[in-house]
Amino acid sequence: MFEGFDPVLLARVQFGFTIAFHIIFPAFSIGLASYLAVLEGLWLATGKPVYMDTFKYWVKIFAISFGMGVVSGITMSYQFGTNWSVFSDKTGPILGPMMGYEVLSAFFLEAGFLGIMLFGQKRVGARLHFAATFVVALGTVFSAFWILSVNSWMHTPTGYGINAVGQFVPEDWWAIVFNPSFPYRLVHMVLAAYLTTAFVVGAVGAFHLLRSRYNASARLMFSMALWMATVVAPLQIIAGDEHGLNTLEHQPAKVAAMEGHFETNVDGPMPLTLFGIPDMEEGRTKYAVDIPYLGSLILTRSLDGTVKGLDAFPREDWPDSTVVFWSFRTMVGIGFAMLGIGLWSLFRRAFGSIYESPWLQRAMIAMGPMGFVAVIAGWITTEVGRQPFTVYGLLRTSESVSPIAAEAVGTSLVAFIIVYFLLFGAGTFYILRLMSKPPTPFEEETLDHPTRTAGLASSGRLEGEVAADPAE
């Protein structure tokens, strides 16, 4: 069935498929764990039941997402051994210990305190339970720290030597872990996780507000999510710009492919190409819609700055511009749409009508899954833009693959597709079912909580919470 197929391409497609499924769950878990910690902290500080009600609503969804993230990540380790054994052998002395650090410092934290977070509220004190929730949130960030350090080293390798058998070996662990692109990638990814989660939470809140404008938890979700969008979206755009400048310094061919920039602008300023169709064969972007000077201004901070095009690099080292050109624009476009939602919400807040704007709520629902699309598009830009290398400039992808037949890779790829769509499709459907249920008070299940503020008795609880919603 797969005779004549390129096994390297099939192995890349398999890894790309599995990681596209996997990455959405850690991104959601990172943001949602922090959101849960904030909710429980606010409940401890104020005693208002709406915070605990919202916590209990989302903690079940977090548990399922966390489990699906763990399961979907296991298959990638499997592929390192089957499809990418040469890569594993050559980079193992560096990447192996770093992955071990991730397990010791991050996964142990998450796994060790997750049980208390999910099942221990009636068995431990409120402050100890909050501590467990905080540690789980911290563990998700630690996990991102190590995974992104590993990935960043593959893009900007430093602190290494090469031994007699061609393996990369550590010489300076500080330089390896804190390689040149790592800080930018870490900030960019963590902010992306927070934005992604905020828009999911906001979409769920908006969905239930359209059904009942006075649902206290829905109002809280909607308001907090929009504050996150308002504050974090511009920070993410700034972080992305800095990340782009770092990429230009260390991976200029990737930036040229992202911009559809085939020719170095030696005779004038580089325009910013908004849209077009990159043609790798002809070495040009067809039907380009350009803004003069803006490309040079963004990338060099000068109106006439010179930026290398793909013609400055050997053709066999060109990333595929037809892919990263559009994945990059998808990511950026969604980022600016998120900024627009945040600004729109500020306008509605100024007039005190943020909950009386059905069009804003519908827009938030439409934007709910867009954070995941942006994360996947950004990952495609990063990884396809690194090609044709696995370790940038040092180890080619064609030299990293296992000596395995295309039929074997193709068969396992088909199996992955079937299993993933069945298993994770069912899990996602169940999460959506939970999200479709309106948030309701959990007061009767909550033990060991602070005394409520006067005026928040259960009989008048909803009105009191709505009127004194601190998130407004």
Side-chain angles (χ1 to χ4, degrees), residues 210-416:
L210 287 173
R211 293 179 166 186
S212 173
R213 198 170 67 189
Y214 299 104
N215 186 303
S217 287
R219 291 165 72 96
L220 181 69
M221 296 177 200
F222 189 62
S223 182
M224 291 181 73
L226 287 173
W227 276 123
M228 179 66 77
T230 304
V231 174
V232 176
L235 293 178
Q236 178 69 313
I237 291 172
I238 295 171
D241 180 62
E242 292 297 320
H243 182 19
L245 295 178
N246 177 264
T247 304
L248 179 64
E249 178 182 355
H250 297 282
Q251 295 176 300
K254 178 192 289 188
V255 173
M258 288 160 50
E259 300 296 340
H261 185 45
F262 287 88
E263 297 181 2
T264 304
N265 57 311
V266 293
D267 298 324
M270 172 188 165
L272 175 67
T273 302
L274 294 178
F275 305 105
I277 303 176
D279 189 320
M280 297 296 289
E281 293 294 328
E282 295 187 17
R284 67 188 182 96
T285 299
K286 299 178 179 178
Y287 316 111
V289 178
D290 295 334
I291 300 178
Y293 298 97
L294 193 55
S296 288
L297 181 61
I298 291 174
L299 293 173
T300 70
R301 302 300 194 257
S302 170
L303 287 175
D304 57 355
T306 299
V307 181
K308 290 181 178 180
L310 287 174
D311 62 355
F313 309 94
R315 198 175 184 93
E316 62 269 20
D317 293 346
W318 287 11
D320 191 347
S321 182
T322 58
V323 175
V324 298
F325 181 87
W326 286 108
S327 61
F328 176 67
R329 277 151 184 76
T330 300
M331 176 186 66
V332 173
I334 292 173
F336 277 99
M338 290 176 169
L339 175 63
I341 292 288
L343 295 176
W344 186 1
S345 71
L346 275 183
F347 174 78
R348 300 301 304 192
R349 285 184 198 276
F351 290 92
S353 57
I354 190 171
Y355 303 116
E356 289 76 36
S357 177
W359 283 109
L360 177 58
Q361 292 158 17
R362 293 187 183 103
M364 197 66 172
I365 293 171
M367 287 293 295
M370 289 297 104
F372 298 119
V373 177
V375 167
I376 293 173
W379 202 257
I380 290 173
T381 303
T382 297
E383 300 308 306
V384 176
R386 187 186 60 204
Q387 297 301 316
F389 300 99
T390 49
V391 180
Y392 191 72
L394 299 171
L395 181 63
R396 288 185 173 272
T397 305
S398 59
E399 300 168 346
S400 304
V401 72
S402 304
I404 191 170
E407 291 84 351
V409 183
T411 302
S412 60
L413 172 60
V414 172
F416 275 130

Side-chain angles (χ1 to χ4, degrees), residues 85-237:
S85 59
V86 178
F87 169 81
S88 299
D89 174 64
K90 290 185 177 296
T91 63
I94 288 179
L95 301 191
M98 294 174 73
M99 297 297 289
Y101 300 152
E102 189 263 342
V103 172
L104 289 173
S105 66
F107 190 73
F108 279 10
L109 280 180
E110 295 168 318
F113 288 88
L114 183 65
I116 299 175
M117 175 184 172
L118 297 179
F119 308 112
Q121 190 167 27
K122 296 181 181 180
R123 296 172 174 82
V124 301
R127 286 175 175 77
L128 182 56
H129 187 268
F130 169 68
T133 304
F134 179 80
V135 169
V136 170
L138 188 63
T140 62
V141 176
F142 276 175
S143 182
F145 176 97
W146 287 112
I147 296 301
L148 287 168
S149 179
V150 167
N151 180 260
S152 297
W153 184 86
M154 294 162 62
H155 287 264
T156 52
T158 52
Y160 68 92
I162 300 179
N163 65 15
V165 294
Q167 294 177 310
F168 297 94
V169 293
E171 292 185 347
D172 184 346
W173 277 111
W174 285 105
I176 290 170
V177 174
F178 296 97
N179 58 80
S181 64
F182 167 62
Y184 300 91
R185 294 178 189 279
L186 179 63
V187 171
H188 196 51
M189 184 63 202
V190 172
L191 290 180
Y194 288 156
L195 273 177
T196 297
T197 303
F199 275 86
V200 173
V201 171
V204 173
F207 176 78
H208 293 295
L209 279 177
L210 287 173
R211 293 179 166 186
S212 173
R213 198 170 67 189
Y214 299 104
N215 186 303
S217 287
R219 291 165 72 96
L220 181 69
M221 296 177 200
F222 189 62
S223 182
M224 291 181 73
L226 287 173
W227 276 123
M228 179 66 77
T230 304
V231 174
V232 176
L235 293 178
Q236 178 69 313
I237 291 172

